Amino acid sequence: MTHTASQRYLSTRGGSYGLSFEDVVLKGLADDGGLFIPEEIPQFPKSWESDWCHFSFEKLAFEILSLYIAQSEIPSGDLKEIVKRSYSTFRHPDITPLVELDKRKHLYLLELFHGPTFAFKDVALQLLGNLFEYFLVRKNHHIAGKERHHLTVIGATSGDTGSAAIYGLRNKLDVSVFILHPKGRVSPVQEAQMTTVLDANIHNLSVEGSFDDCQDIVKALFADPEMNKTHHVAAVNSINWARILAQIIYYVHSYFALVRSPDFTKGAKIRYVVPSGNFGDVLAGFYAQRMGLPIERLIIATNENDILNRFFTSEGHYTKLPIHGYAANGGIAEDGAKAHPDGVKETLSPAMDILVSSNFERLLWFLVYQVDKSDSIERKRQIAGSTIKAWLSELKSNGGFSVGKEVTKAAKIYFESERVSNEETITTIRDIYRTCDFLNTKDKKSSRCILDPHSAIGIEASVRSIRRNPDTYHISLATAHPAKFSNAVDLALRGEDDYDFGVVIPQEFVGLEDKEKRVTHVPVGAGWEGVREIVKTEVDQELR
């Protein structure tokens, strides 16, 4: 069976075309530094709303993934088995349940934290781990010893990506995993989830610097010909297309959960509100919308590291805004917040503390392609690729770029944005605790709602949007369990009636920080070359 256009992939910077799904999953980042995207966004089948309405999460996953993966690469039976294994690790039967938060306001919470590490990234990384394993088993069939294809997975994390990747790839054959995290800038629970995994193929690197530093090191390693030649480098960050693809599933799943609800008014508009740092989660919503999901708007909710909000509230200026000195303070060190010389402001939502959003270029490529007036598809692709390459070069050299009126206008068709401060985050956690009881979808018990700070940013942005659009349904993404950011939650709720954070802490977290840990320190000035030597040494030791 031949590949459709949506099953072939290209680089956002114009240097690669016609790649297979296996190519882009195993490679992660294109040779030209770009990100992989499908050559075309597929459309849902004509009868998707009636045919898929009562599908389980797993059945929806199979249907959506099949639009992007040719059967010649992963036969249907194998893909179904991969999906089944990936989501058997979740604690909730609905995988990502939808909870009614405020009936009067038509406000819903999409709980994405029921996976092994209690964060939304489990949805993608459980799948990605099984995809890596599937492709490697096939490559290494009847091959022994040093001739086996061995993958070196390298990723950067601001907290949740690392643990989710580790839990998705621990003890996988022919895979070494290196996760870089900024020292002192992830919460103790997040750090313990990573560093207490002692499987031989798991390697944690603690980097002196920010998440952006970690991400820059990862990108440099991917661009290094020597590393790619000797170690078959692969990505787990949201730069890996499979991450975006997996996240499309819960947009569709939650849509059906909403329209099946007796409280839903047929034909009403629907908005999704997404706490956003690196832009991957909300980008998945964009793909779902372009495939046919009736999303009226996607609301980007940023913290005070607000490059995305400034883009959407300006005339398309995408510019770093470093914050230094006293103004950069504001987070809780125990939850992983730490200001950095590059200008990242510390906040109560450290997983969103970034200067630039890596996945944004995937959206920009599509928008440039959309507004270009060229006659041929090939020419439109060339222009989109060369434009993105020029903009990213300008970002690196000048700290920013402007996309022009046409692209800005096109972007605002799909997106709105809101910026939420630390103070507003605390107030939202407190207000929701005081006013919202909901029926737990798992044990059917009524309880007060406790939000983690990232999810609270989404709720505050939702409330603002509801004021402007009172008849519109809003689904706000809850990206992490509150226990992962216990200090921010405790700061907001200490002294509240009936508040006892001990009740919130999952059994899996009890004693976690006291377990044996294994981590390698990366000193200041080591740079990507220093990390490269660490990777080489530790892979050699692992494979002996």
Side-chain angles (χ1 to χ4, degrees):
M1 179 180 290
T2 58
H3 289 59
T4 66
S6 66
Q7 295 166 344
R8 297 189 301 267
Y9 296 86
L10 56 81
S11 167
T12 51
R13 301 189 194 179
S16 302
Y17 292 90
L19 284 85
S20 69
F21 180 72
E22 180 176 353
D23 290 334
V24 302
V25 168
L26 293 182
K27 195 167 180 58
L29 190 70
D31 291 336
D32 61 4
L35 306 183
F36 292 118
I37 55 174
E39 293 185 0
E40 181 179 287
I41 299 177
Q43 297 299 294
F44 292 145
K46 287 184 178 180
S47 57
W48 71 278
E49 285 201 77
S50 57
D51 291 351
W52 295 359
C53 185
H54 296 282
F55 278 10
S56 66
F57 188 96
E58 291 89 340
K59 289 189 73 174
L60 278 175
F62 170 76
E63 296 293 342
I64 292 165
L65 296 176
S66 295
L67 296 174
Y68 292 93
I69 306 170
Q71 285 196 43
S72 58
E73 289 197 70
I74 305 180
S76 294
D78 291 354
L79 184 57
K80 288 177 180 177
E81 181 57 32
I82 289 170
V83 168
K84 181 181 178 181
R85 284 206 314 274
S86 299
Y87 300 114
S88 66
T89 58
F90 281 65
R91 298 180 303 279
H92 197 287
D94 290 337
I95 312 302
T96 58
L98 186 69
V99 176
E100 186 177 65
L101 198 59
D102 191 319
K103 183 175 182 178
R104 182 177 58 84
K105 293 180 179 178
H106 307 310
L107 176 58
Y108 291 77
L109 196 66
L110 178 55
E111 294 183 344
L112 303 176
F113 49 75
H114 293 282
T117 69
F118 296 80
F120 82 97
K121 294 174 182 180
D122 288 322
V123 177
L125 284 162
Q126 286 293 302
L127 176 69
L128 182 58
N130 285 314
L131 287 170
F132 279 149
E133 183 177 54
Y134 179 84
F135 290 136
L136 287 172
V137 166
R138 187 163 66 188
K139 277 180 176 289
N140 289 326
H141 189 56
H142 295 318
I143 300 175
K146 292 185 178 180
E147 299 302 314
R148 293 179 69 83
H149 187 96
H150 187 90
L151 212 59
T152 304
V153 172
I154 304 176
T157 186
S158 55
D160 287 334
T161 292
S163 56
I166 287 167
Y167 277 68
L169 289 165
R170 62 187 303 182
N171 208 29
K172 298 286 188 187
L173 188 64
D174 298 315
V175 182
S176 296
V177 183
F178 289 82
I179 298 298
L180 286 66
H181 71 267
K183 184 179 179 182
R185 295 202 65 186
V186 297
S187 75
V189 167
Q190 290 173 320
E191 183 175 3
Q193 282 184 313
M194 294 186 286
T195 58
T196 59
V197 176
L198 304 180
D199 299 65
N201 72 321
I202 300 300
H203 309 265
N204 282 285
L205 307 185
S206 176
V207 178
E208 293 282 357
S210 69
F211 169 67
D212 290 294
D213 293 326
C214 295
Q215 194 152 252
D216 286 344
I217 291 170
V218 170
K219 287 183 176 180
L221 291 172
F222 273 89
D224 179 39
E226 180 185 343
M227 277 297 293
N228 279 281
K229 182 179 179 181
T230 60
H231 284 75
H232 303 295
V233 180
V236 289
N237 284 74
S238 55
I239 59 174
N240 193 304
W241 164 249
R243 287 275 306 272
I244 309 300
L245 177 54
Q247 290 168 180
I248 295 172
I249 302 163
Y250 52 68
Y251 283 91
V252 183
H253 185 254
S254 61
Y255 167 77
F256 283 125
L258 176 62
V259 299
R260 290 196 305 264
S261 167
D263 295 324
F264 181 72
T265 302
K266 186 176 181 181
K269 293 179 180 179
I270 303 170
R271 290 184 163 208
Y272 280 80
V273 187
V274 189
S276 299
N278 232 13
F279 201 74
D281 206 2
V282 73
L283 181 70
F286 170 76
Y287 270 89
Q289 196 262 11
R290 298 306 301 153
M291 292 171 73
L293 198 67
I295 301 174
E296 190 259 335
R297 278 291 192 286
L298 290 154
I299 312 298
I300 298 163
T302 77
N303 64 16
E304 294 171 56
N305 294 291
D306 59 353
I307 187 170
L308 291 170
N309 182 65
R310 285 184 283 109
F311 175 87
F312 283 99
T313 54
S314 70
E315 292 303 313
H317 304 302
Y318 188 77
T319 308
K320 295 180 185 179
L321 185 63
I323 301 172
H324 298 283
Y326 180 78
N329 299 332
I332 299 175
E334 291 79 9
D335 273 355
K338 182 181 179 184
H340 184 261
D342 281 354
V344 178
K345 178 175 171 38
E346 64 180 40
T347 74
L348 299 174
S349 47
M352 293 158 58
D353 287 351
I354 51 89
L355 274 181
V356 295
S357 299
S358 291
N359 277 291
F360 197 51
E361 70 176 89
R362 281 181 160 127
L363 173 69
L364 291 178
W365 187 98
F366 180 88
L367 297 176
V368 174
Y369 180 91
Q370 177 180 302
V371 304
D372 185 72
K373 303 298 192 297
S374 300
D375 292 334
S376 72
I377 291 174
E378 289 74 15
R379 180 59 181 156
K380 287 166 72 75
R381 288 175 180 167
Q382 289 171 1
I383 289 172
S386 61
T387 301
I388 296 302
K389 187 175 181 179
W391 283 342
L392 271 293
S393 177
E394 196 174 343
L395 177 68
K396 187 174 183 179
S397 59
N398 300 330
F401 58 86
S402 296
V403 303
K405 290 183 178 179
E406 280 193 288
V407 171
T408 304
K409 183 180 178 180
K412 291 180 180 180
I413 292 172
Y414 308 107
F415 298 92
E416 292 180 9
S417 70
E418 298 287 348
R419 176 187 186 273
V420 179
S421 69
N422 273 343
E423 293 75 16
E424 290 165 331
T425 301
I426 289 293
T427 299
T428 300
I429 294 172
R430 189 177 298 132
D431 288 349
I432 291 298
Y433 180 80
R434 290 173 177 174
T435 60
C436 292
D437 290 347
F438 63 82
L439 189 67
N440 188 294
T441 55
K442 187 176 182 181
D443 59 20
K444 304 303 179 185
K445 294 180 180 178
S446 180
S447 59
R448 295 201 184 189
C449 179
I450 299 178
L451 299 173
D452 93 282
H454 307 79
S455 305
I457 286 173
I459 291 297
E460 170 59 21
S462 300
V463 170
R464 296 178 193 174
S465 178
I466 289 167
R467 292 193 196 110
R468 301 189 299 268
N469 307 274
D471 296 325
T472 298
Y473 287 76
H474 286 72
I475 295 177
S476 190
L477 275 57
T479 54
H481 192 283
K484 301 198 80 168
F485 302 94
S486 57
N487 294 283
V489 172
D490 199 57
L491 177 65
L493 299 182
R494 194 181 305 131
E496 291 292 311
D497 291 344
D498 301 324
Y499 168 65
D500 177 7
F501 197 77
V503 177
V504 180
I505 298 175
Q507 184 60 39
E508 291 88 340
F509 288 5
V510 176
L512 184 63
E513 295 171 41
D514 299 324
K515 291 184 176 181
E516 180 185 353
K517 300 178 176 67
R518 191 176 74 235
V519 61
T520 300
H521 179 65
V522 180
V524 173
W528 71 269
E529 295 96 337
V531 172
R532 180 178 63 187
E533 295 312 306
I534 291 172
V535 170
K536 286 181 177 181
T537 299
E538 295 198 6
V539 169
D540 287 344
Q541 291 174 350
E542 178 191 333
L543 296 180
R544 283 176 186 168

